[in-house]
Amino acid sequence: MKFFVDTADIESIRELSEFGMVDGVTTNPSIISKSGRHIRDVIEEICSIIKGPVSAEVAATECDTMMAEGRKLAEIASNVVIKLPLTWDGLKACRKLTDEGHMVNVTLCFSANQALLAAKAGASFVSPFIGRLDDINLDGLDLIEEIRTLYDNFQFPTEILAASIRSANHVLHSALIGADVITAPPAVIRQLADHPLTDKGLDQFLADWKKTGHHIV
Ligand code: E4P
């Protein structure tokens, strides 16, 4: 399973990537807006650190303008993935940009039927949003399961990029279901290391070690 980090925070990307925790990065207009920087500068800097797929989202809603914006974003680096919303115009732009050889991530996916369309349009990635479905009392993980079945039934090569991940539980269950990729904020990726018995065990080991009065180096 691949780990993408859902952030424009350069320090977190750098820190996590230094020990193999980042296979790619996703951003969206809200994340870029929070960075206070121009999208071009943010994506350029991320791509100088991460060689895997880096998603940069268009801001247009009409096919031709989406394509123009997508091509512009793709000029930033060869590993830029053009992120397009799951609308009819987004799907049309997906087909055309994919045919031109670009990687496309179709985002804001909330149903298996939408994921089916993204695969038909040739998307490299589809991003089902787990947390936002949970927010309205639906089960986001059920959607991942449906898309996995559907893609496996017809051998669609589109990768399932489980997004809007809010907890370690979302990561675990996306992995168990067979999502190809998860994208999560740095804090959630760090949470995966937490376990109270690890903390308790370490405290005990350190206390016992102190009693020896020894030093390893
Ligand atoms: C995915 O590509 C999105 O950027 C992201 O996962 C959305 O997460 P949110 O619903 O927590 O904003």
Side-chain angles (χ1 to χ4, degrees):
M1 146 162 288
K2 284 174 262 187
F3 274 15
F4 289 2
V5 62
D6 199 30
T7 190
D9 179 45
I10 301 297
E11 280 326 302
S12 293
I13 294 170
R14 208 185 290 283
E15 191 238 330
L16 289 168
S17 72
E18 274 166 6
F19 62 114
M21 298 299 163
V22 184
D23 301 301
V25 173
T26 51
T27 62
N28 63 39
S30 305
I31 288 172
I32 297 293
S33 163
K34 212 163 77 184
S35 78
R37 302 171 68 199
H38 194 284
I39 186 168
R40 183 190 51 245
D41 300 332
V42 178
I43 298 297
E44 195 168 44
E45 189 167 8
I46 295 173
C47 290
S48 72
I49 303 166
I50 302 296
K51 296 304 156 208
V54 174
S55 289
E57 189 160 344
V58 302
T61 54
E62 180 272 322
C63 179
D64 287 342
T65 327
M66 280 179 177
M67 288 181 61
E69 289 186 357
R71 289 188 192 113
K72 195 80 192 164
L73 291 169
E75 278 172 14
I76 298 172
S78 58
N79 54 328
V80 167
V81 179
I82 302 165
K83 205 172 176 192
L84 301 169
L86 210 155
T87 58
W88 276 119
D89 279 70
L91 292 166
K92 283 180 200 165
C94 174
R95 179 81 269 164
K96 291 180 182 175
L97 289 167
T98 298
D99 288 347
E100 287 177 12
H102 297 291
M103 287 186 288
V104 171
N105 173 1
V106 177
T107 189
L108 291 168
C109 172
F110 293 96
S111 78
N113 276 334
Q114 288 183 317
L116 181 57
L117 294 176
K120 296 288 288 177
S124 300
F125 300 96
V126 66
S127 292
F129 276 38
I130 300 174
R132 293 191 194 192
L133 282 168
D134 289 357
D135 289 345
I136 58 163
N137 291 323
L138 294 171
D139 190 337
L141 289 164
D142 282 352
L143 174 59
I144 304 293
E145 201 157 13
E146 284 177 9
I147 301 172
R148 180 74 282 156
T149 303
L150 203 154
Y151 281 10
D152 287 350
N153 282 350
F154 302 101
Q155 283 92 50
F156 285 120
T158 302
E159 292 190 59
I160 302 172
L161 199 176
S164 188
I165 282 193
R166 309 269 174 79
S167 65
N169 196 46
H170 280 160
V171 176
L172 172 63
H173 288 280
S174 296
L176 289 171
I177 291 163
D180 300 288
V181 191
I182 57 98
T183 188
V188 172
I189 293 180
R190 290 190 187 105
Q191 263 175 34
L192 302 182
D194 294 345
H195 197 289
L197 290 180
T198 304
D199 297 339
K200 193 176 167 202
L202 185 59
D203 286 348
Q204 180 70 58
F205 287 161
L206 292 180
D208 290 343
W209 178 254
K210 207 169 170 189
K211 289 181 211 156
T212 69
H214 298 163
H215 298 281
I216 295 173
V217 286

